């Protein structure tokens, strides 16, 4: 359940450089969760995603609040989830050791069983499936791996499964002919064609876990750039995802999306507005924003002063 605006505003204080302000924000979030348990899941998820933030003192504030909430909720933890994570880490160690290559089929089946029972492990399971496959030749992959994941790959887009869209993107070059037969957007040469898939991809992106969004989006943008469809995916998938929801969510996503667009070689003339910083007679690229992004930013900056405006100003300062 999405919390009220009063609760959402507390998150801005977690990144404040003033320790007193952070303390008040932590206390505010913890007290509000205790009063309304329905917002606990949202708050924990958002706190986890904030641990990787480079904004001001965000990591200190977010980790403090998260530790307190997890400590208070420890009696609700299920052993099943802990065991699942333990088994997954063991399987990962087995694959990375290269000492049990003959047992990859068994590890694969165990990972798929974990995925079916504990979907929250989806993207990490997808990564280990790709790692196992990368160690195989085409014949072994066809005999050992493909039969087990074929149905997942076939329904990846229709079921809006980011995990298996991600697997397809990772395996498309090495096993292009085999993947092409089961994944509709993969061509025989391993390239992609997203022309009529933007709607399904947008739904898939919306279901992607926050912690895995960056790696998933990077693979998607790389594949799109290779075939000249970068702007198609940027405008019709990532930008629509970034600008959906309330201003708080938009401002959280806006800089990450712009960073991904630069990292993956966007054409700013097609994507949107390129901002420059003039320094000692040299133009330095700061970031790329689409017109839609600029409109949302302008609305916040021209509006009344509040947590969203302060957060935006701090991010602009961090960029410099």
């Amino acid at each position: 359940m999405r919390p009220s605006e009063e609760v959402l505003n507390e998150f801005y204080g977690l990144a404040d450089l003033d320790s007193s302000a952070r303390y008040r924000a932590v206390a505010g979030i913890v007290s509000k969760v205790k009063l309304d348990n329905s917002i606990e899941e949202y708050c924990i998820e958002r706190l986890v995603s904030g641990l990787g933030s480079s904004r001001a003192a965000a990591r200190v504030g977010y980790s403090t609040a998260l530790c307190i909430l997890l400590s208070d909720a420890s009696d609700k933890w299920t052993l099943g989830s802990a065991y699942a994570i333990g088994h997954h880490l063991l399987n990962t160690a087995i694959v990375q050791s290269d000492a049990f290559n003959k047992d990859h089929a068994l590890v694969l089946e165990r990972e798929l069983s974990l995925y079916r029972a504990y979907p929250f492990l989806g993207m990490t399971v997808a990564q280990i499936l790709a790692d196992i496959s990368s160690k195989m030749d085409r014949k072994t992959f066809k005999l050992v791996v493909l039969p087990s994941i074929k149905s997942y790959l076939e329904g990846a887009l229709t079921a809006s499964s980011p995990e298996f869209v991600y697997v397809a993107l990772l395996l498309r070059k090495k096993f292009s002919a085999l993947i092409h037969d089961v994944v509709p957007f993969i061509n025989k040469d391993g390239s992609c064609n997203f022309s009529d898939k933007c709607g399904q991809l947008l739904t898939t992106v919306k279901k992607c876990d926050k912690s895995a969004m960056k790696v998933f989006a990077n693979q998607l943008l790389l594949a799109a750039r290779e075939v000249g469809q970068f702007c198609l995916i940027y405008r019709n998938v990532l930008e629509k995802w970034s600008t959906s929801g309330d201003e708080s969510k938009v401002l959280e996503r806006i800089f990450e999306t712009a960073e991904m667009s630069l990292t993956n070689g966007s054409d700013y003339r097609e994507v949107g507005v390129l901002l420059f910083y003039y320094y000692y007679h040299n133009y330095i690229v700061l970031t790329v924003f689409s017109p839609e992004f600029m409109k949302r930013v302008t609305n916040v900056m021209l509006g009344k002063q509040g947590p969203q405006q302060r957060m935006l100003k701090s991010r602009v300062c961090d960029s410099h």
Side-chain angles (χ1 to χ4, degrees):
M1 176 182 175
R2 182 178 176 277
S4 65
E5 200 67 30
E6 182 183 3
V7 177
L8 294 175
N9 287 339
E10 297 284 9
F11 285 91
Y12 295 104
L14 294 177
D16 204 300
L17 291 172
D18 182 353
S19 59
S20 298
R22 290 199 307 275
Y23 176 83
R24 290 192 295 271
V26 170
I29 290 173
V30 172
S31 63
K32 288 177 174 62
V33 169
K34 287 182 177 179
L35 290 173
D36 183 4
N37 287 332
S38 66
I39 65 172
E40 182 180 67
E41 183 177 351
Y42 174 92
C43 290
I44 289 178
E45 183 179 331
R46 182 160 175 180
L47 289 171
V48 170
S49 66
L51 294 177
S53 174
S54 59
R55 178 166 54 93
R59 294 178 184 177
V60 177
Y62 275 71
S63 60
T64 302
L66 180 62
C67 286
I68 294 174
L69 284 184
L70 289 178
S71 177
D72 289 345
S74 60
D75 58 329
K76 302 176 186 176
W77 294 1
T78 60
L79 287 176
S81 298
Y83 284 136
I85 294 172
H87 279 289
H88 171 70
L89 293 176
L90 175 61
N91 291 336
T92 302
I94 289 173
V95 172
Q96 292 181 348
S97 72
D98 288 327
F100 303 94
N101 289 343
K102 293 182 180 180
D103 299 314
H104 278 165
L106 178 60
V107 174
L108 174 69
E109 189 51 48
R110 286 180 175 177
E111 282 294 292
L112 289 173
S113 296
L114 287 176
Y115 169 68
R116 288 189 287 267
Y118 303 95
F120 70 87
L121 288 172
M123 287 298 285
T124 53
V125 169
Q127 186 63 59
I128 198 172
L129 293 182
D131 291 344
I132 290 173
S133 301
S134 68
K135 300 174 184 291
M136 298 179 174
D137 56 31
R138 186 177 180 277
K139 182 179 179 180
T140 306
F141 174 79
K142 183 178 181 180
L143 292 174
V144 176
V145 178
L146 190 58
S148 297
I149 66 173
K150 184 177 180 180
S151 61
Y152 292 105
L153 291 174
E154 287 175 333
L157 276 182
T158 54
S160 304
S161 169
E163 299 86 3
F164 285 94
V165 172
Y166 181 62
V167 169
L169 291 171
L170 291 176
L171 300 182
R172 63 190 173 89
K173 290 189 175 180
K174 184 168 184 178
F175 306 108
S176 55
L178 296 172
I179 298 296
H180 162 73
D181 291 336
V182 293
V183 181
F185 61 84
I186 304 292
N187 298 321
K188 284 186 177 181
D189 62 356
S191 63
C192 297
N193 183 3
F194 301 116
S195 297
D196 58 346
K197 301 294 187 294
C198 289
Q200 291 175 311
L201 284 170
L202 176 59
T203 305
T204 302
V205 165
K206 288 180 177 179
K207 290 182 67 175
C208 189
D209 185 83
K210 288 182 180 180
S211 61
M213 182 59 200
K214 188 170 184 178
V215 293
F216 176 79
N218 278 334
Q219 285 296 324
L220 186 61
L221 287 173
L222 284 170
R225 185 186 64 178
E226 290 175 7
V227 291
Q229 294 185 337
F230 183 96
C231 292
L232 176 75
I233 294 300
Y234 181 86
R235 286 176 171 171
N236 295 291
V237 180
L238 289 183
E239 182 176 287
K240 287 186 177 180
W241 165 76
S242 297
T243 54
S244 62
D246 59 74
E247 293 297 336
S248 299
K249 285 186 177 180
V250 171
L251 293 177
E252 282 180 10
R253 298 167 176 171
I254 186 172
F255 287 94
E256 293 179 2
T257 306
E259 180 186 353
M260 284 188 286
S261 71
L262 279 177
T263 302
N264 290 287
S266 65
D267 185 342
Y268 67 87
R269 292 166 297 184
E270 296 184 40
V271 172
V273 181
L274 184 63
L275 302 184
F276 290 100
Y277 175 59
Y278 190 67
Y279 183 72
Y280 286 108
H281 307 293
N282 291 310
Y283 283 107
I284 301 173
V285 177
L286 291 182
T287 190
V288 174
F289 295 105
S290 72
E292 175 63 23
F293 279 167
M294 293 302 295
K295 181 179 178 181
R296 300 293 284 266
V297 170
T298 302
N299 289 340
V300 172
M301 294 305 291
L302 294 179
K304 64 179 181 179
Q305 187 171 2
Q308 294 170 351
Q309 193 178 97
R310 289 195 295 272
M311 188 274 281
L312 183 57
K313 287 181 178 179
S314 69
R315 288 302 298 266
V316 172
C317 290
D318 289 345
S319 297
H320 282 70

